[in-house]
Amino acid sequence: MSIFKTAQTGEVKTKQLSKEGCRVTLSVEATPALITRSFQDAAIQVQSRAQMQGFRAGKVPLDLVKQNFAGHIKERALDMAVKAAINAALSETKLDAVAVPTLTKADFNTFDDGKAFTFEMAVDVAPEFDVTGYKGIVITKKSQTATDKEVQENLDRVLDANARLESAQEGATIDDKCYAVVHYTGKRNGADDYKLSADSELIDMSAPQTMNGLAEAIKGLKKGDVKDYETKEGNDTLSFHVTVDEIKYKKVPALNDDFAKDMGFDTLDQLKAKVKENLDAEAKRAAERDEVTQIENALVAANTFELPQSLVEEYTESSLHNFVHSMTQLDPHKLTAEQHKMFAERIRPSVEKDLRIGYIIHAIAKKENLQATEADWQAELDKSLTDKNKQADDKQIKTFFSERKDQIIATLTERKVFDFLKKEAKYN
C-alpha cells in the first residue's frame, strides 16, 4: 500500500507574496491532480482500518468505504495534500526553512476532490547577510598567570577556612572581632513569641546580623552577663532578654611547614607551588574565555541582521523553562503571565546573541572553507579513545560519538573558526 507523501512535478504552483526580515509568505496552489491523488490515498488508508458489519476489518470494499466514511477520507486527504504541497513549495523555492511553516490563510470549505486548493503559508528562513568584520579583531589579552598577591590571598583563604574558635580569656568583653555564643527569649508587643527565641546562637560580630540590634546590644558584655533591649519591626515592638554563654576568637593557623603537612604537602614551598599552579590554570581558562567573549562581541557589533523570530521564541521558551527550573523554586508550567513575561524579557537578549553568533560562525566557516570533515571527527574520536578515563570504555565513547556525530562536527567547525579568528586578530 502506498502512502502519498510528496507531490509530483507540476502538481503545485507557488508564488512568493512577501518577505519581511526572515519571514517569507507564499501562495501555494495544489492542483486538481494532487487533490485527487490525496483523496485516493486517503481512501486506501481509511479502508485499511474500516470496520463494517459483515466484513472483516480492513476488507470493506472501497466503494462502501467512500460512501460511509467520506468525512474521515476528506480530513485525511486535506492533511496529506497540504503537507505534500508545503514540501513541494519549499523544494521549488529552495527556501532554507528553519522552522515548520504555518498556514496563514486557507478556506477549507473550498477543499474538494478534483478541485484546486489554494492557501497561504509563512515560513521563517535563515538570515541572508554578507559576514564582515571578522579579520583583525582587536583583543586585549589578559594575564594567564597569577600574581604573588593572588597566591597569598588564596593561601589566606585556606588558612581562614582551617581556623578554629578558641574560648577567650576570663574577663574578656565582646568586641567587633570576636564570636559570641548567646541564648535569648523574645516578646512581640509584650507577648512571648517562641520565634524570637534561640539557644546557643553563634554570632560573628564582624558580620551583618539578621536580628536587628542584637550585635550592638551585647557589645562590651562579658561571659555570663545579661542584657535586655528593645527594637522595632514595622509597627511591632520586639523585646529581648539575652544571656552571654561564651566569647570566642578565631585562631588562624600559622603558614608554615607544619600547616603544609596538614594539607598533604611535605613543605610550605610545595603548597605554595601547587596553589600557584592551580591559580595559573584558572587564570589561563579565564583569559581564554575572555578572549572568546571579546571576539563574539566584535562579531555581533559588526554584523546586524534580522533573526527568525520563531527560533527566537522557541529558544527563549526553552531557556526560560531551564532557568526557572534550575534557579528558582517556581514551576515553569505554573508561571503567571506577568512572571513569564518578566523571565522572557530577561532571557531573550542572551538567546538572540547566541543565535546571531551561531549564524555568523556558520557564515565565516562557509566563506573561509573551515568546515570540519569526517576525518576531523575521526581524529577527535581517536583522541578521546586515547585520553579516556577509567569510567568510560571504548564502546561507550564510540556510541557517544556516533549518536552525536553532527553536533561534534559542528563543535569542531566552531573550534576551527575561533582558531582562525584568533590567528587573524590583533592583540594589545
Side-chain angles (χ1 to χ4, degrees), residues 384-394 396-397:
S384 295
L385 290 171
T386 302
D387 299 341
K388 68 181 180 182
N389 57 44
K390 294 179 180 179
Q391 285 73 37
D393 58 26
D394 288 2
Q396 288 175 316
I397 294 172

Side-chain angles (χ1 to χ4, degrees), residues 60-301:
V60 181
L62 192 58
D63 287 345
L64 289 178
V65 171
K66 291 180 178 179
Q67 291 175 18
N68 291 278
F69 300 95
H72 293 290
I73 292 173
K74 185 173 183 178
E75 184 179 331
R76 286 178 179 270
L78 175 62
D79 183 63
M80 296 167 70
V82 169
K83 287 180 179 178
I86 287 175
N87 289 335
L90 293 177
S91 176
E92 180 182 318
T93 56
K94 295 181 172 56
L95 292 175
D96 183 12
V98 298
V100 177
T102 56
L103 266 64
T104 56
K105 186 177 181 182
D107 184 359
F108 297 118
N109 293 323
T110 64
F111 183 78
D112 205 355
D113 193 359
K115 296 182 179 180
F117 178 66
T118 301
F119 61 89
E120 293 179 9
M121 72 179 199
V123 56
D124 276 357
V125 298
E128 298 176 358
F129 64 100
D130 185 16
V131 65
T132 186
Y134 60 89
K135 291 184 178 180
I137 294 175
V138 178
I139 297 175
T140 301
K141 201 168 182 65
K142 289 192 173 181
S143 173
Q144 296 190 7
T145 58
T147 64
D148 291 341
K149 180 181 178 183
E150 289 170 333
V151 171
Q152 186 58 52
E153 288 174 347
N154 185 274
L155 287 169
D156 290 341
R157 286 193 293 271
V158 174
L159 289 172
D160 191 70
N162 285 273
R164 65 178 184 273
L165 294 179
E166 293 185 349
S167 297
Q169 293 181 351
E170 195 68 30
T173 59
I174 296 175
D175 58 26
D176 290 335
K177 298 179 181 180
C178 75
Y179 290 77
V181 181
V182 302
H183 70 269
Y184 54 84
T185 57
K187 295 183 178 182
R188 183 182 297 272
N189 300 324
D192 291 339
D193 188 341
Y194 75 93
K195 294 181 180 178
L196 300 178
S197 301
D199 292 322
S200 298
E201 182 169 319
L202 180 67
I203 301 173
D204 180 357
M205 294 297 292
S206 65
Q209 302 299 314
T210 56
M211 186 67 73
N212 186 35
L214 178 57
E216 286 299 320
I218 62 176
K219 273 186 182 179
L221 297 185
K222 299 177 182 180
K223 179 179 178 180
D225 285 352
V226 176
K227 179 73 174 285
D228 293 313
Y229 83 96
E230 287 187 351
T231 186
K232 298 290 290 184
E233 184 181 86
N235 295 324
D236 293 341
T237 298
L238 309 183
S239 55
F240 295 92
H241 182 73
V242 186
T243 302
V244 179
D245 297 323
E246 200 166 355
I247 301 173
K248 295 177 176 288
Y249 284 93
K250 181 187 290 186
K251 184 174 179 60
V252 178
L255 186 60
N256 52 30
D257 287 343
D258 289 336
F259 177 74
K261 288 176 181 177
D262 289 340
M263 299 300 294
F265 297 89
D266 292 335
T267 65
L268 177 59
D269 287 340
Q270 287 184 1
L271 172 60
K272 289 182 176 180
K274 188 60 179 179
V275 169
K276 179 72 162 61
E277 179 186 333
N278 291 340
L279 290 179
D280 283 349
E282 185 179 323
K284 182 179 180 181
R285 290 192 296 270
E288 289 172 348
R289 289 194 299 269
D290 183 73
E291 204 170 318
V292 169
T293 299
Q294 290 184 60
I295 290 173
E296 290 178 342
N297 290 340
L299 293 175
V300 169

Side-chain angles (χ1 to χ4, degrees), residues 379-416:
E380 190 71 12
L381 170 58
D382 294 341
K383 182 176 181 295
S384 295
L385 290 171
T386 302
D387 299 341
K388 68 181 180 182
N389 57 44
K390 294 179 180 179
Q391 285 73 37
D393 58 26
D394 288 2
K395 184 178 179 181
Q396 288 175 316
I397 294 172
K398 289 178 180 177
T399 299
F400 177 86
F401 269 73
S402 177
E403 292 177 346
R404 295 166 176 77
K405 187 172 184 178
D406 290 342
Q407 295 98 311
I408 291 172
I409 288 178
T411 299
L412 294 175
T413 296
E414 183 174 319
R415 187 188 301 172
K416 281 190 171 188

Side-chain angles (χ1 to χ4, degrees), residues 298-368:
L299 293 175
V300 169
N303 295 273
T304 57
F305 50 86
E306 294 284 344
L307 291 169
Q309 287 307 300
S310 58
L311 282 190
V312 172
E313 294 304 321
E314 178 185 343
Y315 290 172
T316 297
E317 192 67 19
S318 175
S319 298
L320 184 153
H321 275 247
N322 291 336
F323 173 80
V324 172
H325 179 74
S326 61
M327 301 299 292
T328 74
Q329 300 298 316
L330 300 173
D331 183 344
H333 301 285
K334 296 181 180 179
L335 295 177
T336 65
E338 185 177 348
Q339 288 173 327
H340 188 281
K341 181 181 178 182
M342 177 190 70
F343 283 120
E345 288 177 349
R346 182 186 304 178
I347 291 168
R348 185 174 286 107
S350 176
V351 169
E352 291 180 343
K353 182 180 179 181
D354 288 344
L355 269 175
R356 195 176 302 280
I357 290 169
Y359 280 118
I360 295 171
I361 295 300
H362 177 77
I364 296 172
K366 185 176 181 181
K367 191 171 183 178
E368 298 293 340

